[in-house]
Amino acid sequence: MYQQFAQVYDILMMEDIDYFKWAKYLEEIFDYWKCKPKNIIDLACGTGNITISLAQMGYDMVGIDISQDMLAIAEQKARKLSIDIQWLHQDMKRFQGFRDRDAIICVCDGMNYILKENDLKEIFSRIYSSLRKNGIFVFDMNSKYKIEKIFAGQTFAYGGEKVSYIWENYYDKEENIIDYELSFFVKRGEYYQRFDEFHQQKAYSIEKIIRILQEVGFQNIDYYHAFSLDKPVSTSERIQYVAQK
């Protein structure tokens, strides 16, 4: 997953996102929770857009991702900007090596890629153990509404001069897992090269996420309609979670 996709990730999936604005929203959450982190771990950091934005705001950043290709691009970006960030190749399920961290984040629905509840619980437990007392865990997820009502059974297409894609979605209601089948067409000289990607995400209810957080030790937990501090509504597409140790 992401092997070839890493090369066109920013253009295809993230071109409309204001990363600095997203980073400022995370800082708004820190302020609201009266948490002033100095060091932050960015799990599933991808090509490092949020990691780098937070580093530019003065935070000591560590970026962790399962894809070496994504990390290579992230490292190149940081080097060009002369920003010092530690990049680590780790699977979130085996995330380790940290203690007493001020904050851990996971943005852009990275936790939806964890398809088994036990694995999600293991990750949350490792995050809890890695935080200092009163440390904060901030992450967002695609809502169950978004996966079931907006993505499920739909086909999306994008046609660009350099990159195009066809994105098909197949939802398993029993397992609450959606399959993303993507075909990309990337311009190489006079021709277009095709490559395919297969991704899966799981739809979790808010109640289940809170229960798992509580089971690993988090007690101070809240959730919001993403990019605000308002409670989600039934049609909220992204849920922002915050859990404090």
Side-chain angles (χ1 to χ4, degrees), residues 16-142:
D16 294 328
I17 293 178
D18 185 334
Y19 298 109
F20 192 76
K21 184 177 180 180
W22 197 325
K24 291 296 289 183
Y25 171 60
L26 295 174
E27 191 168 57
E28 181 182 356
I29 291 173
F30 299 152
D31 290 342
Y32 185 77
W33 281 69
K34 295 178 172 58
C35 175
K36 297 187 180 298
K38 294 181 179 179
N39 55 73
I40 302 174
I41 296 173
D42 186 3
L43 290 177
C45 67
T47 56
N49 294 301
I50 295 293
T51 329
I52 291 169
S53 294
L54 286 168
Q56 289 175 315
M57 292 162 62
Y59 297 98
D60 180 7
M61 299 299 300
V62 175
I64 295 176
D65 203 90
I66 195 173
S67 168
Q68 290 179 313
D69 300 280
M70 290 283 194
L71 290 172
I73 293 173
E75 188 173 14
Q76 290 171 10
K77 289 179 182 177
R79 190 184 302 119
K80 286 180 180 178
L81 294 169
S82 299
I83 296 173
D84 185 20
I85 296 174
Q86 183 181 10
W87 304 103
L88 295 177
H89 178 229
Q90 282 190 6
D91 186 339
M92 284 196 296
K93 298 173 190 174
R94 291 179 285 278
F95 165 62
Q96 60 183 340
F98 297 94
R99 288 289 184 273
D100 298 322
R101 291 285 159 160
D102 296 335
I104 297 176
I105 65 172
C106 183
V107 302
C108 203
D109 50 82
M111 290 296 169
N112 286 102
Y113 285 92
I114 308 305
L115 306 182
K116 296 181 180 179
E117 187 175 324
N118 286 341
D119 288 339
L120 193 64
K121 185 175 180 179
E122 176 65 22
I123 293 168
F124 286 176
S125 178
R126 289 173 181 264
I127 289 169
Y128 184 87
S129 298
S130 301
L131 288 168
R132 64 167 172 80
K133 182 175 174 57
N134 297 320
I136 196 170
F137 174 33
V138 182
F139 65 104
D140 62 83
M141 299 183 77
N142 279 331

